[in-house]
Amino acid sequence: MAPAWSKCRRCQCRKELTLKSVALPYNRAQHRFAVFTACVTFLLIIAGALVTSNDAGLSVPDWPTSFGSLYKIPHLVGGVRFERTHRMIAQFVGFLSIILAAWTWRADRRRWMKYLGITALGLVIAQGILGGLTVLFYLPAAISSAHAALAQTFFCVTVLIATFTGPKWLHEAPRKAAEDGKRPALFTLALLSIFILYLQLILGALFRHHGLSWWPHVVNAAAVTVILSWTAIRAISQYPEMRYPGVDAVRRPAIAMLSLMIAQLCLGFVAFLTRVAWGRDAVQPELPMVISTVTHVAVGALLLATTVILAVQVWRNLPVGFAERIPNREGKPVAA
């Protein structure tokens, strides 16, 4: 007969531990590296916005070389400093993504996390190819916009990896709360918010890359305002402080999403004035337009990532389970 402690251990391994409640050791180094990768990716998005806003996309006219060289750094003057700096940051992000994917594959026992790390690596490879194609085909609107949209997708994935490797996700049990019975469900609203934001991202990218007029982006901004406000208010009201004093995982991203949305609307208005109303006949990009547009893109990236985190936290704290099995040290499957 197996000893009692062995039976207890097997019983403990068979407990229903879903993605909402994971009992895994916290790897501080892995988490900090994931956070660092997400931060550098955010800088890459800003660098890319600087390239577009300064019309510097073809300042380095070849790819994958720069003025015929793979390793020599050209004189960083004019638009070259924006484009070349953007490429160097992108190369660094690619290097970080390789390390993060390998680290996650070897150190994380959750199967879906291994796939998420590989997904991040695949996205950054695709992103690099799209970036090269924008240069080789002289900045076509479709490819340039896909390059911008994929960058935001990759950023969201790195934020998710940083979240899933954090101590709060691994050690704090979710505060399960029943749905309020309203339709559509809060999780559905969160997914709808991600969709409408991603559509807004694509419309904005097409406008910046001269593939679309400004009015679809402006019209869709009204839909974004309504849906995100609806989602945030539902999330805050469904998890009130008095009834759920410990559920900050939903309230905080909801409040952050609402705050970022208000800031984004203000920045969008300023960017519209500086680019369309005042800067239409400008010979070259003016500083107010560059600053407002780059800030608008950066806050948009934060808004999309925050909305993704909100959707994940809503799903985690609602009574809808998803079981994923991982092998324990004895080679037996354990839910996680």
Side-chain angles (χ1 to χ4, degrees), residues 193-244:
S193 297
I194 295 174
F195 171 79
I196 200 71
L197 270 177
Y198 206 79
L199 176 61
Q200 182 73 348
L201 163 67
I202 295 173
L203 294 175
L206 285 170
F207 168 57
R208 290 196 311 276
H209 293 284
H210 311 290
L212 195 67
S213 179
W214 56 265
W215 66 264
H217 184 61
V218 173
V219 171
N220 194 64
V224 170
T225 304
V226 172
I227 293 175
L228 265 64
S229 299
W230 186 8
T231 304
I233 293 172
R234 276 283 302 278
I236 297 170
S237 62
Q238 185 168 331
Y239 295 91
E241 181 70 25
M242 295 179 63
R243 290 181 57 192
Y244 304 101

Short mmCIF file of all heavy atoms in Angstrom, two decimals, residues 193-244:
data_model
loop_
_atom_site.label_atom_id
_atom_site.label_comp_id
_atom_site.label_asym_id
_atom_site.label_seq_id
_atom_site.Cartn_x
_atom_site.Cartn_y
_atom_site.Cartn_z
N SER A 193 -15.18 45.32 -25.93
CA SER A 193 -14.31 46.48 -25.77
C SER A 193 -12.98 46.26 -26.47
O SER A 193 -12.44 47.17 -27.12
CB SER A 193 -14.08 46.77 -24.28
OG SER A 193 -15.29 47.09 -23.63
N ILE A 194 -12.42 45.05 -26.34
CA ILE A 194 -11.17 44.74 -27.02
C ILE A 194 -11.36 44.83 -28.53
O ILE A 194 -10.52 45.40 -29.25
CB ILE A 194 -10.67 43.35 -26.62
CG1 ILE A 194 -10.33 43.30 -25.13
CG2 ILE A 194 -9.46 42.93 -27.45
CD1 ILE A 194 -9.99 41.92 -24.62
N PHE A 195 -12.46 44.28 -29.02
CA PHE A 195 -12.70 44.29 -30.47
C PHE A 195 -12.84 45.71 -31.00
O PHE A 195 -12.22 46.07 -32.01
CB PHE A 195 -13.98 43.48 -30.77
CG PHE A 195 -14.43 43.61 -32.20
CD1 PHE A 195 -13.80 42.88 -33.20
CD2 PHE A 195 -15.48 44.45 -32.54
CE1 PHE A 195 -14.21 43.01 -34.52
CE2 PHE A 195 -15.90 44.58 -33.86
CZ PHE A 195 -15.26 43.86 -34.85
N ILE A 196 -13.62 46.54 -30.33
CA ILE A 196 -13.86 47.90 -30.83
C ILE A 196 -12.59 48.74 -30.73
O ILE A 196 -12.34 49.61 -31.57
CB ILE A 196 -15.04 48.55 -30.07
CG1 ILE A 196 -15.61 49.73 -30.88
CG2 ILE A 196 -14.65 48.99 -28.68
CD1 ILE A 196 -16.36 49.32 -32.10
N LEU A 197 -11.78 48.48 -29.70
CA LEU A 197 -10.50 49.19 -29.58
C LEU A 197 -9.53 48.76 -30.68
O LEU A 197 -8.81 49.59 -31.24
CB LEU A 197 -9.87 48.92 -28.22
CG LEU A 197 -10.23 49.87 -27.08
CD1 LEU A 197 -9.58 49.40 -25.79
CD2 LEU A 197 -9.79 51.30 -27.40
N TYR A 198 -9.51 47.47 -30.98
CA TYR A 198 -8.61 46.99 -32.03
C TYR A 198 -9.03 47.55 -33.39
O TYR A 198 -8.18 47.91 -34.21
CB TYR A 198 -8.62 45.47 -32.05
CG TYR A 198 -7.35 44.88 -32.61
CD1 TYR A 198 -6.21 44.79 -31.83
CD2 TYR A 198 -7.28 44.43 -33.93
CE1 TYR A 198 -5.03 44.26 -32.34
CE2 TYR A 198 -6.12 43.89 -34.44
CZ TYR A 198 -5.00 43.82 -33.64
OH TYR A 198 -3.84 43.31 -34.15
N LEU A 199 -10.34 47.64 -33.62
CA LEU A 199 -10.82 48.26 -34.85
C LEU A 199 -10.40 49.72 -34.90
O LEU A 199 -9.98 50.22 -35.96
CB LEU A 199 -12.34 48.14 -34.92
CG LEU A 199 -13.02 48.82 -36.11
CD1 LEU A 199 -12.53 48.21 -37.41
CD2 LEU A 199 -14.54 48.69 -36.00
N GLN A 200 -10.49 50.41 -33.77
CA GLN A 200 -10.07 51.81 -33.72
C GLN A 200 -8.57 51.93 -34.00
O GLN A 200 -8.13 52.88 -34.67
CB GLN A 200 -10.40 52.39 -32.34
CG GLN A 200 -10.05 53.85 -32.16
CD GLN A 200 -10.99 54.77 -32.92
OE1 GLN A 200 -11.77 54.34 -33.76
NE2 GLN A 200 -10.91 56.06 -32.63
N LEU A 201 -7.80 50.99 -33.50
CA LEU A 201 -6.37 50.98 -33.76
C LEU A 201 -6.08 50.85 -35.25
O LEU A 201 -5.23 51.56 -35.80
CB LEU A 201 -5.73 49.82 -32.98
CG LEU A 201 -4.33 49.37 -33.40
CD1 LEU A 201 -3.31 50.45 -33.10
CD2 LEU A 201 -3.96 48.08 -32.71
N ILE A 202 -6.78 49.95 -35.93
CA ILE A 202 -6.57 49.74 -37.36
C ILE A 202 -6.98 50.98 -38.15
O ILE A 202 -6.26 51.42 -39.07
CB ILE A 202 -7.35 48.51 -37.83
CG1 ILE A 202 -6.78 47.24 -37.17
CG2 ILE A 202 -7.30 48.37 -39.34
CD1 ILE A 202 -7.59 45.99 -37.45
N LEU A 203 -8.12 51.58 -37.80
CA LEU A 203 -8.56 52.79 -38.49
C LEU A 203 -7.57 53.93 -38.30
O LEU A 203 -7.28 54.68 -39.24
CB LEU A 203 -9.95 53.19 -37.99
CG LEU A 203 -11.09 52.22 -38.31
CD1 LEU A 203 -12.39 52.68 -37.65
CD2 LEU A 203 -11.28 52.07 -39.81
N GLY A 204 -7.06 54.07 -37.08
CA GLY A 204 -6.08 55.12 -36.83
C GLY A 204 -4.78 54.88 -37.60
O GLY A 204 -4.18 55.82 -38.12
N ALA A 205 -4.35 53.63 -37.67
CA ALA A 205 -3.13 53.31 -38.42
C ALA A 205 -3.31 53.59 -39.90
O ALA A 205 -2.41 54.14 -40.56
CB ALA A 205 -2.75 51.85 -38.19
N LEU A 206 -4.47 53.24 -40.45
CA LEU A 206 -4.74 53.52 -41.86
C LEU A 206 -4.76 55.02 -42.12
O LEU A 206 -4.27 55.48 -43.17
CB LEU A 206 -6.07 52.89 -42.26
CG LEU A 206 -6.08 51.38 -42.46
CD1 LEU A 206 -7.50 50.86 -42.61
CD2 LEU A 206 -5.23 50.99 -43.68
N PHE A 207 -5.30 55.80 -41.19
CA PHE A 207 -5.30 57.25 -41.36
C PHE A 207 -3.88 57.81 -41.31
O PHE A 207 -3.50 58.64 -42.16
CB PHE A 207 -6.18 57.89 -40.27
CG PHE A 207 -6.03 59.38 -40.18
CD1 PHE A 207 -6.27 60.19 -41.29
CD2 PHE A 207 -5.66 59.99 -38.99
CE1 PHE A 207 -6.13 61.56 -41.21
CE2 PHE A 207 -5.51 61.35 -38.91
CZ PHE A 207 -5.75 62.15 -40.02
N ARG A 208 -3.07 57.37 -40.36
CA ARG A 208 -1.71 57.90 -40.25
C ARG A 208 -0.86 57.52 -41.46
O ARG A 208 0.04 58.27 -41.84
CB ARG A 208 -1.03 57.38 -38.97
CG ARG A 208 -1.58 57.94 -37.70
CD ARG A 208 -0.64 57.69 -36.52
NE ARG A 208 -0.21 56.31 -36.43
CZ ARG A 208 -0.90 55.34 -35.84
NH1 ARG A 208 -2.07 55.62 -35.28
NH2 ARG A 208 -0.43 54.11 -35.79
N HIS A 209 -1.15 56.35 -42.05
CA HIS A 209 -0.36 55.90 -43.19
C HIS A 209 -1.03 56.24 -44.53
O HIS A 209 -0.71 55.63 -45.55
CB HIS A 209 -0.12 54.39 -43.09
CG HIS A 209 0.75 54.00 -41.94
ND1 HIS A 209 2.12 54.17 -41.95
CD2 HIS A 209 0.46 53.48 -40.72
CE1 HIS A 209 2.63 53.75 -40.81
NE2 HIS A 209 1.65 53.33 -40.05
N HIS A 210 -1.96 57.18 -44.49
CA HIS A 210 -2.59 57.75 -45.69
C HIS A 210 -3.35 56.70 -46.50
O HIS A 210 -3.41 56.77 -47.73
CB HIS A 210 -1.53 58.41 -46.58
CG HIS A 210 -0.62 59.34 -45.84
ND1 HIS A 210 -1.05 60.55 -45.33
CD2 HIS A 210 0.70 59.22 -45.49
CE1 HIS A 210 -0.03 61.15 -44.72
NE2 HIS A 210 1.03 60.36 -44.79
N GLY A 211 -3.95 55.74 -45.82
CA GLY A 211 -4.75 54.74 -46.51
C GLY A 211 -6.24 54.93 -46.30
O GLY A 211 -7.04 54.18 -46.86
N LEU A 212 -6.62 55.93 -45.50
CA LEU A 212 -8.02 56.13 -45.16
C LEU A 212 -8.20 57.57 -44.70
O LEU A 212 -7.26 58.19 -44.18
CB LEU A 212 -8.45 55.17 -44.05
CG LEU A 212 -9.94 54.96 -43.77
CD1 LEU A 212 -10.59 54.26 -44.97
CD2 LEU A 212 -10.14 54.13 -42.51
N SER A 213 -9.39 58.09 -44.88
CA SER A 213 -9.69 59.43 -44.40
C SER A 213 -9.80 59.43 -42.87
O SER A 213 -9.81 58.37 -42.23
CB SER A 213 -10.99 59.94 -45.01
OG SER A 213 -11.30 61.25 -44.53
N TRP A 214 -9.90 60.61 -42.28
CA TRP A 214 -9.92 60.71 -40.82
C TRP A 214 -11.28 60.38 -40.23
O TRP A 214 -11.36 59.98 -39.07
CB TRP A 214 -9.54 62.14 -40.40
CG TRP A 214 -10.39 63.22 -41.00
CD1 TRP A 214 -10.13 63.94 -42.12
CD2 TRP A 214 -11.65 63.69 -40.50
NE1 TRP A 214 -11.14 64.84 -42.38
CE2 TRP A 214 -12.09 64.71 -41.40
CE3 TRP A 214 -12.46 63.36 -39.41
CZ2 TRP A 214 -13.29 65.38 -41.22
CZ3 TRP A 214 -13.67 64.04 -39.25
CH2 TRP A 214 -14.06 65.03 -40.14
N TRP A 215 -12.36 60.50 -40.99
CA TRP A 215 -13.70 60.44 -40.38
C TRP A 215 -14.08 59.05 -39.86
O TRP A 215 -14.77 58.95 -38.84
CB TRP A 215 -14.76 60.98 -41.33
CG TRP A 215 -15.00 60.19 -42.58
CD1 TRP A 215 -14.46 60.39 -43.81
CD2 TRP A 215 -15.87 59.05 -42.71
NE1 TRP A 215 -14.91 59.45 -44.71
CE2 TRP A 215 -15.79 58.63 -44.06
CE3 TRP A 215 -16.70 58.37 -41.83
CZ2 TRP A 215 -16.50 57.55 -44.53
CZ3 TRP A 215 -17.42 57.28 -42.31
CH2 TRP A 215 -17.32 56.88 -43.65
N PRO A 216 -13.68 57.90 -40.49
CA PRO A 216 -14.03 56.61 -39.86
C PRO A 216 -13.41 56.46 -38.47
O PRO A 216 -14.04 55.90 -37.56
CB PRO A 216 -13.47 55.58 -40.84
CG PRO A 216 -13.40 56.29 -42.15
CD PRO A 216 -13.02 57.69 -41.80
N HIS A 217 -12.18 56.94 -38.31
CA HIS A 217 -11.52 56.87 -37.01
C HIS A 217 -12.26 57.72 -35.98
O HIS A 217 -12.43 57.31 -34.82
CB HIS A 217 -10.07 57.36 -37.16
CG HIS A 217 -9.25 57.24 -35.93
ND1 HIS A 217 -8.98 56.04 -35.31
CD2 HIS A 217 -8.62 58.19 -35.18
CE1 HIS A 217 -8.23 56.24 -34.24
NE2 HIS A 217 -8.00 57.53 -34.13
N VAL A 218 -12.72 58.88 -36.38
CA VAL A 218 -13.43 59.78 -35.46
C VAL A 218 -14.81 59.22 -35.12
O VAL A 218 -15.24 59.25 -33.96
CB VAL A 218 -13.54 61.19 -36.07
CG1 VAL A 218 -14.42 62.09 -35.20
CG2 VAL A 218 -12.16 61.81 -36.24
N VAL A 219 -15.51 58.70 -36.12
CA VAL A 219 -16.84 58.14 -35.87
C VAL A 219 -16.76 56.93 -34.95
O VAL A 219 -17.55 56.77 -34.01
CB VAL A 219 -17.52 57.75 -37.21
CG1 VAL A 219 -18.79 56.96 -36.96
CG2 VAL A 219 -17.83 59.01 -38.02
N ASN A 220 -15.76 56.06 -35.19
CA ASN A 220 -15.62 54.88 -34.34
C ASN A 220 -15.21 55.25 -32.92
O ASN A 220 -15.47 54.48 -31.98
CB ASN A 220 -14.59 53.92 -34.94
CG ASN A 220 -14.64 52.55 -34.31
OD1 ASN A 220 -15.63 51.84 -34.42
ND2 ASN A 220 -13.56 52.16 -33.65
N ALA A 221 -14.60 56.42 -32.75
CA ALA A 221 -14.23 56.86 -31.41
C ALA A 221 -15.47 57.03 -30.53
O ALA A 221 -15.42 56.81 -29.31
CB ALA A 221 -13.45 58.17 -31.48
N ALA A 222 -16.60 57.42 -31.13
CA ALA A 222 -17.84 57.53 -30.37
C ALA A 222 -18.30 56.17 -29.88
O ALA A 222 -18.74 56.02 -28.72
CB ALA A 222 -18.93 58.18 -31.24
N ALA A 223 -18.20 55.16 -30.74
CA ALA A 223 -18.57 53.80 -30.33
C ALA A 223 -17.63 53.29 -29.24
O ALA A 223 -18.06 52.63 -28.28
CB ALA A 223 -18.54 52.87 -31.54
N VAL A 224 -16.34 53.60 -29.36
CA VAL A 224 -15.38 53.21 -28.33
C VAL A 224 -15.75 53.83 -26.99
O VAL A 224 -15.71 53.17 -25.94
CB VAL A 224 -13.95 53.63 -28.76
CG1 VAL A 224 -12.98 53.46 -27.59
CG2 VAL A 224 -13.48 52.81 -29.94
N THR A 225 -16.11 55.10 -27.01
CA THR A 225 -16.47 55.80 -25.77
C THR A 225 -17.67 55.15 -25.09
O THR A 225 -17.66 54.92 -23.87
CB THR A 225 -16.78 57.27 -26.08
OG1 THR A 225 -15.65 57.87 -26.73
CG2 THR A 225 -17.10 58.03 -24.81
N VAL A 226 -18.69 54.82 -25.87
CA VAL A 226 -19.90 54.24 -25.30
C VAL A 226 -19.62 52.86 -24.73
O VAL A 226 -19.98 52.55 -23.57
CB VAL A 226 -21.01 54.16 -26.37
CG1 VAL A 226 -22.21 53.37 -25.84
CG2 VAL A 226 -21.45 55.56 -26.79
N ILE A 227 -18.95 52.00 -25.49
CA ILE A 227 -18.76 50.61 -25.08
C ILE A 227 -17.80 50.52 -23.90
O ILE A 227 -18.04 49.79 -22.92
CB ILE A 227 -18.26 49.78 -26.27
CG1 ILE A 227 -19.36 49.68 -27.32
CG2 ILE A 227 -17.85 48.38 -25.81
CD1 ILE A 227 -18.95 48.98 -28.59
N LEU A 228 -16.71 51.28 -23.94
CA LEU A 228 -15.75 51.22 -22.84
C LEU A 228 -16.33 51.83 -21.56
O LEU A 228 -16.07 51.31 -20.45
CB LEU A 228 -14.46 51.93 -23.22
CG LEU A 228 -13.35 51.01 -23.77
CD1 LEU A 228 -13.77 50.38 -25.09
CD2 LEU A 228 -12.05 51.78 -23.94
N SER A 229 -17.11 52.89 -21.69
CA SER A 229 -17.76 53.46 -20.50
C SER A 229 -18.75 52.47 -19.91
O SER A 229 -18.81 52.29 -18.68
CB SER A 229 -18.46 54.76 -20.87
OG SER A 229 -17.56 55.71 -21.37
N TRP A 230 -19.52 51.83 -20.76
CA TRP A 230 -20.49 50.82 -20.32
C TRP A 230 -19.77 49.69 -19.59
O TRP A 230 -20.19 49.27 -18.50
CB TRP A 230 -21.23 50.30 -21.55
CG TRP A 230 -22.36 49.36 -21.27
CD1 TRP A 230 -22.89 49.03 -20.05
CD2 TRP A 230 -23.12 48.62 -22.24
NE1 TRP A 230 -23.92 48.13 -20.20
CE2 TRP A 230 -24.08 47.87 -21.53
CE3 TRP A 230 -23.08 48.54 -23.62
CZ2 TRP A 230 -24.98 47.03 -22.18
CZ3 TRP A 230 -23.97 47.72 -24.27
CH2 TRP A 230 -24.92 46.97 -23.56
N THR A 231 -18.67 49.21 -20.18
CA THR A 231 -17.93 48.11 -19.57
C THR A 231 -17.34 48.51 -18.22
O THR A 231 -17.42 47.75 -17.24
CB THR A 231 -16.80 47.66 -20.51
OG1 THR A 231 -17.37 47.30 -21.79
CG2 THR A 231 -16.06 46.46 -19.94
N ALA A 232 -16.73 49.67 -18.16
CA ALA A 232 -16.08 50.11 -16.92
C ALA A 232 -17.11 50.31 -15.81
O ALA A 232 -16.90 49.89 -14.66
CB ALA A 232 -15.31 51.40 -17.15
N ILE A 233 -18.23 50.94 -16.13
CA ILE A 233 -19.27 51.17 -15.11
C ILE A 233 -19.85 49.86 -14.62
O ILE A 233 -20.08 49.67 -13.42
CB ILE A 233 -20.35 52.10 -15.68
CG1 ILE A 233 -19.77 53.50 -15.93
CG2 ILE A 233 -21.54 52.19 -14.72
CD1 ILE A 233 -20.70 54.43 -16.65
N ARG A 234 -20.08 48.92 -15.54
CA ARG A 234 -20.58 47.61 -15.13
C ARG A 234 -19.59 46.89 -14.23
O ARG A 234 -19.96 46.26 -13.23
CB ARG A 234 -20.87 46.77 -16.37
CG ARG A 234 -22.23 47.00 -17.00
CD ARG A 234 -23.36 46.32 -16.23
NE ARG A 234 -23.14 44.90 -16.14
CZ ARG A 234 -23.45 44.03 -17.09
NH1 ARG A 234 -23.99 44.45 -18.23
NH2 ARG A 234 -23.25 42.74 -16.91
N ALA A 235 -18.30 46.97 -14.58
CA ALA A 235 -17.28 46.27 -13.79
C ALA A 235 -17.18 46.87 -12.38
O ALA A 235 -17.09 46.13 -11.39
CB ALA A 235 -15.92 46.36 -14.49
N ILE A 236 -17.23 48.18 -12.29
CA ILE A 236 -17.12 48.84 -10.99
C ILE A 236 -18.36 48.59 -10.15
O ILE A 236 -18.28 48.34 -8.94
CB ILE A 236 -16.87 50.35 -11.17
CG1 ILE A 236 -15.52 50.57 -11.88
CG2 ILE A 236 -16.88 51.07 -9.83
CD1 ILE A 236 -15.30 52.00 -12.31
N SER A 237 -19.52 48.63 -10.77
CA SER A 237 -20.77 48.43 -10.03
C SER A 237 -20.99 46.97 -9.66
O SER A 237 -21.59 46.67 -8.63
CB SER A 237 -21.95 48.95 -10.85
OG SER A 237 -22.08 48.23 -12.08
N GLN A 238 -20.48 46.05 -10.49
CA GLN A 238 -20.66 44.63 -10.19
C GLN A 238 -19.76 44.17 -9.05
O GLN A 238 -20.08 43.22 -8.34
CB GLN A 238 -20.38 43.79 -11.44
CG GLN A 238 -20.66 42.29 -11.24
CD GLN A 238 -20.66 41.54 -12.55
OE1 GLN A 238 -20.98 42.09 -13.59
NE2 GLN A 238 -20.29 40.27 -12.50
N TYR A 239 -18.66 44.85 -8.84
CA TYR A 239 -17.74 44.52 -7.75
C TYR A 239 -17.58 45.71 -6.82
O TYR A 239 -16.48 46.28 -6.70
CB TYR A 239 -16.36 44.11 -8.31
CG TYR A 239 -16.40 42.85 -9.12
CD1 TYR A 239 -16.59 42.90 -10.49
CD2 TYR A 239 -16.24 41.61 -8.52
CE1 TYR A 239 -16.62 41.74 -11.25
CE2 TYR A 239 -16.26 40.45 -9.27
CZ TYR A 239 -16.46 40.52 -10.63
OH TYR A 239 -16.49 39.38 -11.38
N PRO A 240 -18.65 46.13 -6.15
CA PRO A 240 -18.54 47.29 -5.26
C PRO A 240 -17.65 46.99 -4.06
O PRO A 240 -17.53 45.84 -3.63
CB PRO A 240 -19.98 47.55 -4.83
CG PRO A 240 -20.65 46.23 -4.97
CD PRO A 240 -20.01 45.55 -6.14
N GLU A 241 -17.03 48.02 -3.53
CA GLU A 241 -16.10 47.86 -2.42
C GLU A 241 -16.79 47.30 -1.18
O GLU A 241 -16.20 46.52 -0.43
CB GLU A 241 -15.47 49.22 -2.10
CG GLU A 241 -14.47 49.19 -0.96
CD GLU A 241 -13.19 48.47 -1.33
OE1 GLU A 241 -12.86 48.41 -2.52
OE2 GLU A 241 -12.52 47.96 -0.41
N MET A 242 -18.04 47.65 -0.97
CA MET A 242 -18.73 47.21 0.25
C MET A 242 -19.02 45.72 0.21
O MET A 242 -18.92 45.03 1.22
CB MET A 242 -20.03 48.01 0.41
CG MET A 242 -19.81 49.50 0.66
SD MET A 242 -21.36 50.39 0.83
CE MET A 242 -22.04 49.63 2.29
N ARG A 243 -19.38 45.19 -0.96
CA ARG A 243 -19.72 43.77 -1.05
C ARG A 243 -18.50 42.91 -1.30
O ARG A 243 -18.41 41.79 -0.81
CB ARG A 243 -20.72 43.55 -2.19
CG ARG A 243 -22.11 44.11 -1.89
CD ARG A 243 -23.04 43.82 -3.05
NE ARG A 243 -23.11 42.40 -3.34
CZ ARG A 243 -23.68 41.89 -4.44
NH1 ARG A 243 -24.18 42.71 -5.36
NH2 ARG A 243 -23.72 40.59 -4.63
N TYR A 244 -17.53 43.42 -2.06
CA TYR A 244 -16.33 42.66 -2.39
C TYR A 244 -15.10 43.50 -2.06
O TYR A 244 -14.46 44.07 -2.95
CB TYR A 244 -16.33 42.28 -3.89
CG TYR A 244 -17.55 41.51 -4.32
CD1 TYR A 244 -18.59 42.16 -4.99
CD2 TYR A 244 -17.67 40.15 -4.07
CE1 TYR A 244 -19.72 41.46 -5.39
CE2 TYR A 244 -18.79 39.45 -4.46
CZ TYR A 244 -19.81 40.11 -5.12
OH TYR A 244 -20.91 39.41 -5.52
#
